[in-house]
């Protein structure tokens, strides 16, 4: 069974803190994605990685960075958290040739105070 | 990506088939139809996809009309756990990195 796990379901941080969100997949997928989901705005892509140490910016990369040191792990970093980064963060993975068939993790609901 | 139109909400009785329609009249020849769902407070879940033939897997069946301008996702025996928002997405194979979900259909399965 395909499995994408995220390090936390709920997270509360203070403005200015550095935040790490971890995502691990056990399907040997080449592609990994970080999205955020906000009411009325749908899913928005933050970053995408197609291989270890490779990354591409999505639609809203500002304020975020990513790290992919191992194939199975894709980390999202909020360098200095701000209140407008309060959101649901979703990690997904897919095979290289089938980006439309993405498998999502359960999500991390982040609240920045 | 082709534009899709789905009803905002639908109800279904538990144990009955849930038939969720999607209109995609501007679909191009190389575009597939994908279905995802999102249960409240969880990540989206891939269900099924197809090009022109009907498809079936352990979760659902996908019926695509001959002119490909519409499709129907069928959950043959809906359960309460199928209550979710169902999204129909039309896009070409490997076109872009981001999945774009429209409004979707909120399916409520009732006892």
């Amino acid at each position: 069974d395909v499995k994408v796990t995220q390090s936390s379901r709920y997270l509360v941080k203070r403005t200015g803190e550095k935040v790490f969100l971890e995502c691990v997949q056990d399907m040997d997928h080449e592609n990994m994605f970080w999205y955020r989901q906000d009411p009325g705005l749908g899913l928005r892509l933050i970053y995408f990685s197609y291989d270890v140490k490779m990354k591409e910016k999505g639609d809203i990369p500002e304020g975020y960075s990513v790290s992919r040191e191992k194939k199975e792990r894709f980390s999202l970093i909020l360098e200095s958290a701000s209140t407008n980064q309060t959101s649901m963060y979703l990690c997904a993975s897919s095979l290289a040739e089938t980006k439309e068939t993405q498998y999502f993790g359960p999500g991390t609901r982040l609240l920045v105070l | 990506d082709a534009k899709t139109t789905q009803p905002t909400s639908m109800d279904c009785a538990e144990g009955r088939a849930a038939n969720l329609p999607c209109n995609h009249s501007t679909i191009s020849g190389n575009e597939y139809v994908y279905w995802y769902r999102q249960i409240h407070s969880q990540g989206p879940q891939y269900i099924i996809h197809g090009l022109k033939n009907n498809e079936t897997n352990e979760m659902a069946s996908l019926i695509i009309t001959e002119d490909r301008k519409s499709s129907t996702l069928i959950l043959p025996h809906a359960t309460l756990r199928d209550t979710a928002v169902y999204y129909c997405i039309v896009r070409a194979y490997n076109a872009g990195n981001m999945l774009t979900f429209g409004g979707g259909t909120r399916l409520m399965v009732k006892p």
Side-chain angles (χ1 to χ4, degrees):
Chain A
D1 198 15
V2 296
K3 203 73 184 292
V4 179
T5 56
Q6 296 183 227
S7 50
S8 306
R9 288 302 309 273
Y10 300 95
L11 211 50
V12 180
K13 295 291 181 182
R14 296 214 173 269
T15 302
E17 280 193 78
K18 192 168 186 176
V19 182
F20 293 88
L21 302 181
E22 302 283 337
C23 175
V24 178
Q25 51 97 2
D26 65 359
M27 297 163 284
D28 202 34
H29 283 172
E30 292 82 7
N31 297 330
M32 295 189 76
F33 308 80
W34 274 107
Y35 292 89
R36 63 179 281 179
Q37 186 174 35
D38 302 286
L41 296 176
L43 278 180
R44 291 181 291 168
L45 183 66
I46 305 171
Y47 267 99
F48 159 65
S49 169
Y50 53 93
D51 201 351
V52 174
K53 297 191 188 295
M54 307 304 287
K55 62 186 179 186
E56 281 186 19
K57 292 180 180 178
D59 286 349
I60 51 163
E62 296 77 22
Y64 303 94
S65 62
V66 289
S67 172
R68 189 145 180 226
E69 297 295 320
K70 294 185 177 181
K71 189 176 185 180
E72 67 271 18
R73 188 178 298 268
F74 192 33
S75 302
L76 180 70
I77 302 143
L78 286 65
E79 297 291 344
S80 177
S82 64
T83 54
N84 63 13
Q85 292 178 309
T86 290
S87 186
M88 168 74 107
Y89 288 88
L90 291 159
C91 174
S93 72
S94 79
L95 290 169
E97 63 274 14
T98 57
K99 279 187 271 189
E100 291 68 35
T101 307
Q102 295 183 17
Y103 295 88
F104 285 80
T108 296
R109 194 168 291 280
L110 173 67
L111 173 62
V112 182
L113 299 173
Chain B
D1 296 352
K3 181 177 165 54
T4 61
T5 304
Q6 298 177 254
T8 305
S9 63
M10 292 179 64
D11 289 345
C12 177
E14 188 178 19
R16 303 297 294 267
N19 298 293
L20 294 102
C22 180
N23 284 326
H24 33 79
S25 58
T26 61
I27 191 170
S28 301
N30 64 339
E31 289 181 318
Y32 288 70
V33 181
Y34 293 83
W35 282 86
Y36 280 77
R37 72 180 181 184
Q38 188 167 21
I39 296 168
H40 182 62
S41 294
Q42 295 185 23
Q45 180 185 22
Y46 164 78
I47 302 172
I48 199 167
H49 75 279
L51 182 63
K52 53 184 177 182
N53 297 324
N54 298 337
E55 302 287 344
T56 295
N57 63 18
E58 65 279 3
M59 288 183 68
S61 294
L62 174 61
I63 308 298
I64 302 174
T65 57
E66 196 166 334
D67 64 6
R68 302 207 325 121
K69 293 185 177 182
S70 66
S71 60
T72 302
L73 180 76
I74 301 171
L75 309 177
H77 304 286
T79 71
L80 299 179
R81 288 182 296 178
D82 292 321
T83 292
V85 180
Y86 287 76
Y87 297 98
C88 169
I89 300 167
V90 173
R91 57 183 280 168
Y93 196 68
N94 237 4
N97 299 327
M98 185 172 74
L99 284 179
T100 303
F101 290 1
T105 297
R106 187 172 298 275
L107 175 69
M108 179 76 70
V109 180
K110 297 184 174 179

